[in-house]
Amino acid sequence: MAKLLDKQRYKCAMGAMQTVQAISRAIPVLHSGPGCAQKLSDSIGSSGYFSPNIFPCTSINEKDVVFGGVKKLETTIENSLKVIDADFYVVLTGCIPEIVGDDTGEVVSHFEDAGKPVIYASTAGFKGNNYIGHQQIIDAITDQYLEKSEEREKGLVNIWADVPYQDLFWLGNIRELEKLVKELGLTPNTIFGYQRGIDNINKIPKAEFNLLVSPWVSVENMKKMEKKLGIPYLHYPTLPIGAFETTKFLREVGKFAGVDEEKVENIINKHENYYYYLIERYADLFLETRVMAKQFSVVADAQYTLGITKFLVNDLGLVPAKQFVTDDTPKAFQEQIKEEFERLNYGLKAEVRFETDGYKIQNEIREHDYHGYPLILGSYYEKEIAEEMSGHYLNISWPVQDKVVLDDFYVGYTGGIRLIEDIYSVAVQRWN
Amino acid sequence: MALNLENSNVATRENRIGSITGYIGTLSDLANQSSCGTLKGCSRCFSQSSTCLSSCALGQLSAIRDVAIIHHGPAGCSAASAGAYYLDKVMAKKRGVTTNTVYIGTDMNENDTIFGSAESLRKIILEVNKRYSPKAIFVTSSCATGIIGEDIDSVVDDVKDEVEVPIVAVHCEGFKSRIWATGFDISDHAVLSSIVQPPRQKRNTINFKNFYESARPEIIEIFKNFDLEPIFLYCNSTIEELSHISESLATTCICGTLGNYLGNGLEETYGVPYIRTINPLGIAGFETWLREIGRVTDRSEAVENYIEEQRKIYIPQIEEIKKELKGLRAVLGMGPGYTFEVSRVLDELGVEVVWALAWHYDKKYENGEVPPSMKYLLENDVDFEASVADQQNYEVMNILKKYQPDLYLSRHPGSTVWAIKNGTPAVYVADEYMIFGYKHTLEFAQSILDSIHNRSFEKNLARRVKLPYTDWWYQQNVDKFLEEAKK
């Protein structure tokens, strides 16, 4: 049902054109009105080998609404293949063709012998938000492109995480996850970012298992791959940020993959030693910052709200105030995510709200007593409330206006250190 | 133009003033064909993404202070609210004012497309009104609501009694028009029909339609010379201010595409003269425009004095820099409100325009005339190759590759990067006042020089990247996919 989306923090399913854009040399072909790409892209960092103004688009007009747009779709795909130098063509359907009933699948089937793969995904805006749209893309790849492989490559692991571009740190995060998995002696395979493209997609069926690092996004994709491709999966629900969670992550992945325990512990020791060398040097800063309360709130999608809450509690010893998950998490996942927020050190439990109405979120922040200057990590919208409450503020979730990220990341031991740097770079600017 | 303020729906530019998005030829041919009525736009069997008219419509309305925009549609349609929030805050801060404008989405889902969601929309409007007490409410449609026939007019009528401020239905389905500038007309129509009141007293104000009022302080100073006060629209406007714009001495705009509907509407409805000269870019543009303002407001003498005084300061400097610009060749791609204006300034500065792309083309303005910027060029014997393409990047790249100009000038986000990947220096003419008056014409000339003097960035990048188009495409004629042109 239509709802009051105040201070919105996601886009629609068609926003998944950014998921396609994150796969090197894959091009979204839009069957939609002329302006969807422009509206659903962000003005910063949307350039690249392809950018939204390169995306072919049927640019549906009034006539197509009445007579259908399949002919235009046919010529658009046909000419995309001629004009655009890509490896993988993903047709995304918007609101209009899905309401008027264009048979996109039928049109796309004409391109089976095009020499380059052409698939399609149903991403009408009303089907859900861009987290759902992202899943539609992975499903489309699984359903229409991937085939079950008899052959398995020893140690090959597909890694999946949250939504490219919607997640500001997507590129750095997935590279860091790869690095960690590689240290365990495994071979990571991911499909997003620099030099990851069609070859990596082709490798998916040969993996020994899928590793999903996300509270809920792509769980359904993993189930589908398990069923169709026979690939088992490990669902790790918390984005590992900082030492405490990354150590747990390495142990769990190591155990699942059958890596020798001693080897895993050696890797952990090496990282933790360096991590605590840094922390030791700056412990005075954390303890003696005169302007920061111990309480914090995160307003972000499930992965960051959960990941950062665990980090700030378990690594830095802060205390969670209310936490807000803004990605419209499907009801079926809410309970288990809530339980994760209750598994914190010293029996601490974070109260979490699944809320998409920004007005309510900010009222709750306003009403909470943080016992001093709060730390608020959230979207650009939270800048205002943080200023109102003299809080410290960091822009870590969409929409982002206060931070430029090329390949920075918050994942892993190093990511935790980066987050500390960011938080205290804000805090040191004040004195009390 | 016959304005129908009783109807909430605005006819598209295609239907109202014969605007087109597909043409390839020359400037003179384009103008001749428009005057004798033979110009027919072409469609394309292959196109790349462009822009949604709702972005233009709601970008304008959401810049007004303390209003509510309720965008009824899936969450992607209202994704622009995030950018609007940011812009509202930074623009207000820059002016030293505050704004509580809210831009709400309704996150329509599949059920809503089947069963409709008029009742939910009604509740949302009332709740937004309660939360924020906005000074006006704009309830807007989307492609999805348009196709399923959601009757937003009825919902608005229904809540009118419960809302004490102006509330208006805004029809901005993205499929309605390929010309996103239709969105500007849609926003003007909403303001004219629901906010502007009949004049009660004349004021010495000039309505100044612009985007981000970056030259606000200096224009206020210029107009002080003539005892005139500019009212900038709509960025940081208040509903109270807008209700009085019928009382101004004249309306002017920095971009004909942006201000055309409001200017003509105010003239037709309330007799406020609309300044229809070429725009105040470059020397000829600035002087022609100022003189017309002087004529319309009966301040010609003061205007002449100002021009004389300013010419002494700037003309020698501009003449000096022209020596360095001589012989440069440029391609430009912009909205038609700028393409032919900037072409004139380039010509004035001695830069040769080899190809100009307009993102659309209005055959006639609302008053039935050929656009003044074009008329001026032809009367002054300036002609060049020209095309009309709704930001079709592949056509731009084809042209750049073939012509290898010294620079590319464009005005839309995401466009300059493609020129520099081709190795062509690019000048981003985003600020609408970048070429305003003598001072900024001089600065513009200087930034062209700066752009071509250090080409390191584009050369570094161009050397390392591959362009996304096939060799096949670069061998084609630029009109390859234009459907009627080849006949």
Side-chain angles (χ1 to χ4, degrees), chain A residues 100-262:
Chain A
V100 303
D102 282 354
D103 191 346
T104 303
E106 207 271 328
V107 177
V108 168
S109 73
H110 303 169
F111 296 93
E112 266 170 21
D113 303 321
K116 302 261 184 80
V118 183
I119 65 166
Y120 74 101
S122 163
T123 50
F126 54 80
K127 291 270 173 89
N129 64 20
N130 48 330
Y131 294 87
I132 303 293
H134 171 81
Q135 299 186 136
Q136 295 286 84
I137 302 295
I138 314 272
D139 266 358
I141 293 173
T142 311
D143 283 333
Q144 297 164 50
Y145 182 71
L146 297 176
E147 297 290 343
K148 188 171 180 172
S149 169
E150 294 311 318
E151 186 196 334
R152 288 272 184 262
E153 195 181 314
K154 179 108 186 71
L156 188 69
V157 187
N158 302 320
I159 306 175
W160 306 93
D162 262 20
V163 182
Y165 293 90
Q166 174 71 15
D167 177 354
L168 178 65
F169 303 96
W170 66 273
L171 179 61
N173 278 356
I174 200 140
R175 289 295 90 90
E176 190 63 14
L177 286 171
E178 281 178 353
K179 240 191 230 169
L180 289 166
V181 164
K182 207 169 177 179
E183 285 189 51
L184 293 172
L186 303 168
T187 311
N189 182 47
T190 60
I191 67 169
F192 298 117
Y194 179 63
Q195 289 189 340
R196 310 291 192 280
I198 190 81
D199 291 343
N200 301 78
I201 293 177
N202 290 336
K203 277 204 280 187
I204 291 173
K206 292 181 194 152
E208 285 198 314
F209 68 99
N210 274 320
L211 169 61
L212 172 65
V213 185
S214 171
W216 68 271
V217 177
S218 287
V219 171
E220 296 304 320
N221 296 138
M222 297 303 104
K223 288 182 182 161
K224 177 167 282 216
M225 285 195 204
E226 185 172 52
K227 205 168 160 200
K228 181 177 173 184
L229 307 173
I231 306 177
Y233 67 92
L234 168 63
H235 177 199
Y236 195 84
T238 307
L239 189 71
I241 301 173
F244 191 87
E245 200 58 37
T246 309
T247 293
K248 257 171 70 182
F249 169 80
L250 287 173
R251 283 189 186 130
E252 203 159 319
V253 176
K255 198 171 148 201
F256 192 86
V259 181
D260 176 52
E261 259 180 55
E262 202 184 314

Side-chain angles (χ1 to χ4, degrees), chain B residues 248-269:
Chain B
S248 290
L249 293 178
T251 304
T252 187
C253 60
I254 193 67
C255 165
T257 305
L258 175 73
N260 191 24
Y261 194 92
L262 184 77
N264 281 288
L266 285 170
E267 184 173 271
E268 188 181 307
T269 318

Side-chain angles (χ1 to χ4, degrees), chain A residues 1-49:
Chain A
M1 207 173 68
K3 58 174 181 269
L4 204 170
L5 197 58
D6 192 340
K7 299 183 175 58
Q8 79 176 69
R9 293 142 200 280
Y10 50 75
K11 305 169 187 173
C12 68
M14 201 161 198
M17 62 179 203
Q18 295 190 299
T19 296
V20 179
Q21 194 186 357
I23 303 169
S24 291
R25 295 181 55 81
I27 183 97
V29 177
L30 311 181
H31 189 23
S32 73
C36 296
Q38 185 244 17
K39 222 176 221 192
L40 296 171
S41 63
D42 300 293
S43 51
I44 297 176
S46 273
S47 190
Y49 178 55

